[in-house]
């Protein structure tokens, strides 16, 4: 019995260190990268969450800002945002800023099957608890990440004190007639890349890979981007794990947004996100129809603010990271005035 207790203790200690220790080889922004990577395991799958603490200890009880990337990108796409954010984080009422890799991207385990956004959110919740990254949360979602943070707010409303969507995917995505054929084309392209990957032919195609597919070239869209993040991103990109993950996520985009739309409709209220402070940042270059849908997204909370970026494309985290930091600061002014939501 005593030997079993010792073995159990060792196992628990190993589990703790697996969660708490950082990998020193992970680097997003260069020489000044002081982030700590966590690797919580929840229901058999490891998730990578990297956090940057606020050096201002008076903010230690502030909310955690969580960043969810677009599809098919890992959290490394937020490198420019971190470069802009970290020099000013001490003035913000957040305890730390954390980026994370959805399953299959970056340093997270691959999913055994395509996870709907609702299932991913359930697992994210468990992973955050396993890593002792406790609420309250300010959730930031770029592109597809916006669907996740909306679902998180719906499922765990008492944990979320603010939402920031960055040219975020909305629940109307499922009903846009151009999306189904676009996803079919993306599926065919990813399947072709998977077939060519073992032959080495993909390496000769990299100069022609659109940024939308997740490969980050030097100076993407004419913008500086940290070589550390670019190198790591592209090493992951050139793997079967990454391409299979992109294929899985493409499969769940329409059903996940359709389910989100059904959830909103079933709540029978004009503001299904209640009074959670919500800032919507929109790339106006995507056209009037997109702006109208973003207006609808902004209307989901009774406390919202719509910011228009009229210079960037959809890739705001790369092109306008300062704008994202400014939007986060705007959101924090709403959060500081926000009374906690009472869930009965």
């Amino acid at each position: 019995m005593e030997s079993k207790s010792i073995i159990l203790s060792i196992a628990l200690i190993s589990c703790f260190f697996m969660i708490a220790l950082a990998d020193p080889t992970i680097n997003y922004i260069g020489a000044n990268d002081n982030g700590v990577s966590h690797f919580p395991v929840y229901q058999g799958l490891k998730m990578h969450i990297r956090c940057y603490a606020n050096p201002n200890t008076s903010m230690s009880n502030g909310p955690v800002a969580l960043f969810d990337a677009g599809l098919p990108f890992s959290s490394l796409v937020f490198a420019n945002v971190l470069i802009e954010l970290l020099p000013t984080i001490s003035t913000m009422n957040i305890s730390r800023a954390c980026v994370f890799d959805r399953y299959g991207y970056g340093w997270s385990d691959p999913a055994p099957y395509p996870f709907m956004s609702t299932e991913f959110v359930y697992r994210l919740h468990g992973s955050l608890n396993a890593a002792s990254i406790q609420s309250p949360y300010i959730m930031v979602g770029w592109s597809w990440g916006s669907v996740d943070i909306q679902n998180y707010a719906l499922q765990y409303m008492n944990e979320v004190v603010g939402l920031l969507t960055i040219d975020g995917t909305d629940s109307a995505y499922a009903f846009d007639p151009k999306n189904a054929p676009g996803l079919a084309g993306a599926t065919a392209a990813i399947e072709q890349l998977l077939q060519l990957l073992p032959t080495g032919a993909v390496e000769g195609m990299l100069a022609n890979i659109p940024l939308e597919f997740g490969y980050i070239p030097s100076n993407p869209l004419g913008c500086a981007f940290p070589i550390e993040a670019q190198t790591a991103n592209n090493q992951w990109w050139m793997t079967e794990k990454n391409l299979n993950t992109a294929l899985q996520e493409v499969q769940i985009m329409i059903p996940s947004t359709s389910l989100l739309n059904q959830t909103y409709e079933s709540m029978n209220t004009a503001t299904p996100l209640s009074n959670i402070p919500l800032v919507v940042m929109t790339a106006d270059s995507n056209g009037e129809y997109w702006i109208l849908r973003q207006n609808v997204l902004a209307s989901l909370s009774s406390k919202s603010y719509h910011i228009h970026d009229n210079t960037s494309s959809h890739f705001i985290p790369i092109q306008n990271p300062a704008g994202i930091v400014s939007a986060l600061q705007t959101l924090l002014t709403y959060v500081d005035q926000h009374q906690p939501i009472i869930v009965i």
Side-chain angles (χ1 to χ4, degrees):
M1 180 64 72
E2 183 177 351
S3 62
K4 288 183 179 180
S5 299
I6 293 172
I7 292 172
L8 179 59
S9 298
I10 293 172
L12 290 172
I13 292 171
S14 299
C15 181
F16 172 79
F17 280 107
M18 177 171 56
I19 290 172
L21 290 184
D23 184 338
T25 65
I26 298 177
N27 190 308
Y28 282 54
I29 60 174
N32 297 320
D33 193 314
N34 61 356
V36 174
S37 286
H38 304 261
F39 301 95
V41 176
Y42 182 71
Q43 293 192 349
L45 292 178
K46 177 185 70 179
M47 179 179 290
H48 172 237
I49 307 171
R50 186 166 181 83
C51 294
Y52 295 80
N54 190 332
N56 185 346
T57 56
S58 67
M59 305 298 185
S60 59
N61 292 322
V64 178
L66 295 170
F67 290 76
D68 194 352
L71 187 167
F73 288 86
S74 75
S75 59
L76 289 158
V77 76
F78 286 118
N80 279 356
V81 176
L82 291 170
I83 288 173
E84 289 288 338
L85 173 64
L86 295 180
T88 61
I89 194 174
S90 62
T91 65
M92 296 183 181
N93 183 25
I94 56 175
S95 58
R96 48 185 162 171
C98 300
V99 297
F100 59 85
D101 293 320
R102 292 194 302 276
Y103 293 120
Y105 294 123
W107 291 269
S108 292
D109 284 345
Y113 56 87
F115 287 157
M116 293 277 282
S117 175
T118 48
E119 179 168 358
F120 170 72
V121 160
Y122 164 76
R123 289 174 174 270
L124 173 61
H125 179 262
S127 297
L128 290 168
N129 285 333
S132 296
I133 302 171
Q134 303 297 337
S135 62
Y137 304 124
I138 290 173
M139 308 204 77
V140 183
W142 168 53
S143 193
W144 183 254
S146 169
V147 173
D148 289 339
I149 69 170
Q150 290 174 71
N151 275 315
Y152 199 103
L154 290 170
Q155 292 185 45
Y156 307 103
M157 195 167 284
N158 60 325
E159 297 184 2
V160 179
V161 294
L163 294 167
L164 168 59
T165 66
I166 305 164
D167 219 36
T169 306
D170 60 343
S171 63
Y173 181 93
F175 311 105
D176 188 331
K178 72 176 183 294
N179 286 334
L183 292 174
T187 297
I190 297 168
E191 288 175 342
Q192 183 181 29
L193 288 170
L194 280 165
Q195 291 175 0
L196 293 174
L197 193 63
T199 71
V202 174
E203 294 184 18
M205 302 166 58
L206 295 179
N208 297 315
I209 297 292
L211 185 57
E212 288 80 358
F213 279 76
Y215 185 84
I216 300 178
S218 299
N219 299 314
L221 301 172
C223 302
F225 196 81
I227 186 64
E228 294 83 3
Q230 181 205 8
T231 300
N233 179 87
N234 294 346
Q235 286 175 342
W236 285 119
W237 191 88
M238 292 282 292
T239 63
E240 185 177 346
K241 169 193 166 187
N242 178 76
L243 293 175
N244 274 326
T245 297
L247 197 60
Q248 285 183 334
E249 290 204 324
V250 164
Q251 294 174 38
I252 56 88
M253 291 183 75
I254 287 180
S256 286
T257 48
S258 178
L259 180 59
L260 178 60
N261 185 74
Q262 291 173 28
T263 301
Y264 283 146
E265 288 187 346
S266 70
M267 295 175 73
N268 197 29
T269 175
T271 54
L273 293 177
S274 189
N275 62 339
I276 299 176
L278 167 64
V279 170
V280 171
M281 187 177 186
T282 300
D284 286 353
S285 61
N286 292 327
E288 288 187 21
Y289 177 52
W290 181 244
I291 295 172
L292 288 173
R293 282 168 50 181
Q294 294 281 289
N295 285 335
V296 173
L297 177 59
S299 73
L300 297 176
S301 169
S302 62
K303 293 184 179 179
S304 66
Y305 186 74
H306 196 167
I307 296 173
H308 294 268
D309 183 338
N310 55 18
T311 60
S312 302
S313 71
H314 182 58
F315 293 93
I316 298 176
I318 293 174
Q319 292 179 289
N320 189 14
I324 293 175
V325 173
S326 176
L328 180 59
Q329 290 170 326
T330 298
L331 176 61
L332 286 169
T333 64
Y334 284 81
V335 171
D336 291 343
Q337 303 166 9
H338 180 54
Q339 297 300 315
I341 295 171
I342 299 174
V343 179
I344 300 175

